[in-house]
Amino acid sequence: MKKRMNDKLLILIFSVVILAFPLILAPTGAAYPDLMQRFAIYGIFAIGFNILFGLTGYLSFGHAAFLGVGSYAAMWMFKLLTMNIFPALILSVLIAGIFSLLIGFISLRRSGIYFSILTLAFAQMSYNLAYSVLTPLTNGETGLQLRLDDPRVLDTVVDAGSLPSTNLFGLEMKHVFWNPEILGYNLQFNYGFYVCAALLILSFYISVKIFRSPFGMMLRAVKTNQTRLNYTGISTRPYTLAAFVISGMFAGLAGGLLATMDPLAGADRMQWTASGELVLMVVLGGSGTLIGPVLGAIFIRYFNSVLSQINEFTLHAWFSFGPEWMTNLLVSIVDPFVGEGWELTLGALFMLVVTFLPGGLVDGGQRVGRWITGANRRAAKAREA
Amino acid sequence: MGILEVQNVNKHFGGLHALNNVNLSVEEGSIHAIIGPNGAGKSTFLNCLIGKLKPDTGSVMFQGKAVLGRKPHQINQMGISRVFQTPEIFAELTVMENVIIPCLAHRDGAFRLNPFKNLEKDRDIHERAETILEDMGMKDKMDMHSGSLSRGDKRRLEMAMCLVQEPKLLLLDEPTAGMARADTNNTIDLLKHISETRGITMVIIEHDMHVVFSLSHKISVLAQGAIIAEDLPDKIKGHPKVREAYLGEAEV
């Protein structure tokens, strides 16, 4: 057997790193709760997508639809039942599962590009329906929001003057429970992030399990040679459908979590650009690897937040070292790549990674690792000689 | 009655009558060869047996059960495995994984949702796969990437993938195509060995007369979509119709 890191150790390291995010990320300026929650949520989204795309090779362009459906489902629970996120998340996963079963059942009749187009079409249909026919359910353009007069049958009315906030059995998601000052950084530990982190670790664990199971092996076989698999006595459709539904449920969970962070669900979450971004995350990080999707998700979310915050003023401040005409020139060159145009930078980065690191960031990490160990070995040889 | 009974199978491709009332009876435990010139319909016939093509008319019975109308995976689950002309393997996976997959299909059936089972701890599957690889002389290559195997090894791997399923009927489509003489002889010995030790019935399509006559117990000759002769190998050599239709091409 090929040498591989022990799975238990891998999960342990992953958990420790994720749980220590508020500390680890402090020097990067990314350690504020909202962004870290997004890291975890999109990590879950990407892990789920990787089970479909990374293992079976079926490239879905419609997973944002399941994310959106998850958000709507969670919002309805907040409006009708309770602000406790537990039932909301359960419903998100369930509804997204049913929804992906329907879409998957039809889309998986085709493979390759036709499958991708079908999923894209379904997602766009959902997006348009959310704006038109389904307005009573989705509240159209305004998006589904909390209102003071929502029933919330399980919650007791405490303060009728302001909107209630999401909680997990009383622990308020936004509440910062620890706010220490360590090494000069003001760290914020809030419940919301830890709920998302726990679910991310659970998702990662499930993904490791699936990768090592006979089921996962069959999914991999689908990717390499579906013809052979059929003549080997395997009915491939149930396998691909199961993978599709599992990844749809992960997307639903991610959508539900987005709603717990900010109780609002809009149709723009279902747009095809959101599906495209998901594909970018997984490919950028390394599709078919365990850790890659999470890395890709964090990478893209981080660049999104950092680059989109830069505006002309910050640029002027950066480039103020030279004469004014030079500053203006530099600013006008860099400006289209930041702020609103951060996706331009993302696109360029994506092209670089796909061209030079086809296996994504994980591939890059392994190359660096090999280079270091190779260098060590060479050094050891040199010492022996 | 044989293990495989083919009756009045017809297949048209547009105006081409690819299979014309084909009848075939394969005896259990035997090696039955189907020979014929290029374009005689040999591969079409084989594709009809595994569910890749559906004949226009006729019936195919395997152990008394109808084969036609079933999907490829269902036919395989009945106990029919196939070796392709160009080896069909899982090229991105290791040799071991290639054998594990059919082994799982044989043991667990066409679909099983077991995402929380650890495959590495499944000793039973690994033992079965290792035994077959050892039998096929490929145990030392089990961790290799199967896509990087030589052509001959890919064939042997595909054979191992079929054998690990303990099939009752093995269909072989030109198992020695493109092989050197020595490799061909090895394959002949291997197939003989499999037939003798495991008692697997084989239907083999082959161009190479040397292979056909050293292996088969019975030969059917297919020409222009129809069976023109069926007999023991010695008798086929002297059959006038066969000479006329086929053996003009090569000395036998």
Side-chain angles (χ1 to χ4, degrees):
Chain A
M1 278 283 140
K2 230 178 346 185
K3 253 204 181 156
R4 199 177 54 206
M5 197 198 273
N6 183 306
D7 287 338
K8 282 187 187 125
L9 186 65
L10 180 69
I11 294 167
L12 184 72
I13 294 174
F14 181 83
S15 310
V16 169
V17 170
I18 296 293
L19 293 175
F21 256 12
L23 192 67
I24 296 171
L25 293 179
T28 64
Y32 52 97
D34 257 30
L35 186 58
M36 288 192 300
Q37 274 187 59
R38 274 180 207 281
F39 287 168
I41 292 170
Y42 281 92
I44 293 171
F45 195 19
I47 282 177
F49 188 70
N50 188 45
I51 289 168
L52 178 72
F53 175 57
L55 289 179
T56 69
Y58 275 77
L59 178 57
S60 159
F61 266 112
H63 265 54
F66 308 133
L67 185 85
V69 167
S71 288
Y72 282 125
M75 280 309 295
W76 275 111
M77 280 309 228
F78 294 150
K79 285 168 83 69
L80 298 177
L81 206 60
T82 166
M83 288 306 284
N84 189 340
I85 63 168
F86 189 70
L89 292 180
I90 302 257
L91 190 74
S92 299
V93 173
L94 269 180
I95 298 281
I98 293 167
F99 200 58
S100 55
L101 185 68
L102 288 174
I103 291 185
F105 185 77
I106 301 169
S107 306
L108 285 165
R109 298 185 162 268
R110 293 283 169 272
S111 61
I113 187 84
Y114 301 103
F115 168 79
S116 303
I117 300 285
L118 275 173
T119 51
L120 177 62
F122 275 117
Q124 259 332 75
M125 267 162 64
S126 319
Y127 171 68
N128 286 324
L129 284 176
Y131 267 128
S132 55
V133 191
L134 296 178
T135 316
L137 274 177
T138 62
N139 204 17
E141 242 169 282
T142 334
L144 205 54
Q145 292 170 355
L146 293 177
R147 289 159 57 103
L148 283 174
D149 55 359
D150 288 330
R152 273 186 282 283
V153 288
L154 292 184
D155 288 2
T156 46
V157 182
V158 182
D159 178 10
S162 64
L163 288 171
S165 53
T166 51
N167 64 73
L168 178 66
F169 300 109
L171 299 176
E172 206 173 299
M173 292 287 277
K174 285 211 180 315
H175 180 67
V176 177
F177 60 85
W178 195 33
N179 194 357
E181 186 104 1
I182 295 175
L183 301 171
Y185 295 109
N186 177 20
L187 305 185
Q188 295 182 42
F189 294 82
N190 80 333
Y191 289 123
F193 169 70
Y194 279 96
V195 169
C196 295
L199 288 169
L200 173 64
I201 290 166
L202 178 69
S203 304
F204 185 73
Y205 172 77
I206 293 174
S207 146
V208 171
K209 278 296 200 189
I210 289 179
F211 268 62
R212 306 288 182 244
S213 70
F215 173 74
M217 180 64 84
M218 291 304 170
L219 297 184
R220 248 185 275 249
V222 166
K223 187 180 186 179
T224 54
N225 192 342
Q226 206 168 149
T227 316
R228 183 21 114 189
L229 200 56
N230 274 318
Y231 293 116
T232 300
I234 292 294
S235 176
T236 52
R237 188 80 58 77
Y239 279 102
T240 46
L241 187 59
F244 193 87
V245 172
I246 291 170
S247 71
M249 288 163 90
F250 274 89
L253 177 63
L257 284 172
L258 280 178
T260 66
M261 222 176 105
D262 185 8
L264 176 100
D268 52 325
R269 247 170 225 171
M270 304 169 100
Q271 219 178 350
W272 69 273
T273 46
S275 299
E277 200 182 69
L278 176 65
V279 178
L280 291 194
M281 284 175 187
V282 173
V283 173
L284 196 70
S287 79
T289 64
L290 284 167
I291 198 81
V294 184
L295 283 182
I298 293 174
F299 188 85
I300 288 186
R301 281 295 115 202
Y302 180 68
F303 268 80
N304 176 354
S305 90
V306 169
L307 290 173
S308 60
Q309 273 168 12
I310 300 171
N311 55 29
E312 236 173 290
F313 296 107
T314 26
L315 286 181
H316 270 286
W318 285 358
F319 297 128
S320 58
F321 48 82
E324 202 181 326
W325 64 268
M326 206 171 86
T327 309
N328 286 338
L329 182 71
L330 283 172
V331 169
S332 63
I333 292 172
V334 180
D335 192 44
F337 290 90
V338 296
E340 296 273 289
W342 76 276
E343 276 160 332
L344 213 52
T345 318
L346 177 66
L349 267 173
F350 183 72
M351 285 199 297
L352 283 176
V353 167
V354 170
T355 313
F356 296 107
L357 287 174
L361 296 174
V362 168
D363 186 23
Q366 284 168 346
R367 281 182 202 208
V368 170
R370 271 199 301 273
W371 182 75
I372 290 170
T373 50
N376 283 345
R377 221 174 298 130
R378 276 195 296 279
K381 244 184 207 158
R383 269 198 303 277
E384 272 170 33
Chain B
M1 200 160 112
I3 188 168
L4 183 74
E5 292 283 344
V6 178
Q7 269 168 1
N8 302 325
V9 164
N10 280 283
K11 178 79 191 169
H12 291 264
F13 292 117
L16 178 73
H17 203 169
L19 293 176
N20 184 359
N21 260 347
V22 173
N23 288 288
L24 189 79
S25 174
V26 179
E27 222 170 282
E28 184 155 9
S30 70
I31 301 183
H32 196 125
I34 297 172
I35 62 171
N38 280 329
K42 301 185 298 286
S43 290
T44 306
F45 179 63
L46 213 56
N47 285 336
C48 286
L49 293 186
I50 57 160
K52 197 173 179 183
L53 289 175
K54 200 176 179 323
D56 305 332
T57 60
S59 79
V60 178
M61 304 292 275
F62 176 69
Q63 292 186 314
K65 280 178 276 182
V67 167
L68 297 184
R70 288 180 203 251
K71 293 193 172 114
H73 72 265
Q74 293 168 325
I75 294 174
N76 174 280
Q77 291 286 354
M78 292 171 83
I80 303 180
S81 284
R82 176 178 178 176
V83 174
F84 287 80
Q85 196 169 346
T86 35
E88 290 274 0
I89 55 171
F90 303 110
E92 285 171 36
L93 304 179
T94 67
V95 169
M96 187 68 174
E97 287 167 337
N98 265 273
V99 184
I100 281 176
I101 288 164
C103 197
L104 284 168
H106 175 59
R107 195 191 65 180
D108 295 348
F111 174 69
R112 186 164 288 194
L113 189 63
N114 46 7
F116 292 109
K117 213 175 147 195
N118 193 337
L119 183 57
E120 258 168 56
K121 285 192 183 134
D122 196 333
R123 286 316 318 158
D124 171 46
I125 287 285
H126 281 85
E127 271 161 27
R128 288 196 212 188
E130 268 176 44
T131 313
I132 282 290
L133 284 174
E134 196 156 17
D135 282 1
M136 303 296 285
M138 293 189 76
K139 205 181 171 200
D140 52 326
K141 298 190 173 100
M142 69 183 203
D143 289 333
M144 263 175 82
H145 205 251
S146 68
S148 59
L149 291 175
S150 72
R151 201 185 149 93
D153 276 345
K154 278 183 189 163
R155 275 189 185 285
R156 277 203 291 171
L157 173 59
E158 202 189 20
M159 204 88 82
M161 290 163 73
C162 289
L163 290 179
V164 79
Q165 298 197 304
E166 297 164 12
K168 295 177 193 112
L169 175 65
L170 189 59
L171 305 173
L172 300 124
D173 193 355
E174 302 201 22
T176 64
M179 273 191 188
R181 205 28 142 200
D183 275 344
T184 303
N185 286 334
N186 283 339
T187 309
I188 292 173
D189 292 342
L190 181 69
L191 290 175
K192 259 191 186 157
H193 177 73
I194 292 167
S195 167
E196 279 158 18
T197 54
R198 294 170 191 265
I200 297 172
T201 315
M202 297 187 197
V203 170
I204 175 168
I205 285 182
E206 189 53 81
H207 259 317
D208 191 328
M209 288 304 137
H210 169 62
V211 178
V212 171
F213 286 110
S214 37
L215 265 180
S216 46
H217 303 125
K218 207 169 195 183
I219 298 176
S220 295
V221 185
L222 201 62
Q224 291 176 330
I227 302 268
I228 56 166
E230 183 179 300
D231 220 324
L232 303 174
D234 293 339
K235 300 218 172 124
I236 282 289
K237 279 185 194 173
H239 203 291
K241 255 187 173 172
V242 177
R243 281 192 173 281
E244 185 192 325
Y246 182 70
L247 297 179
E249 283 186 5
E251 267 318 300
V252 177

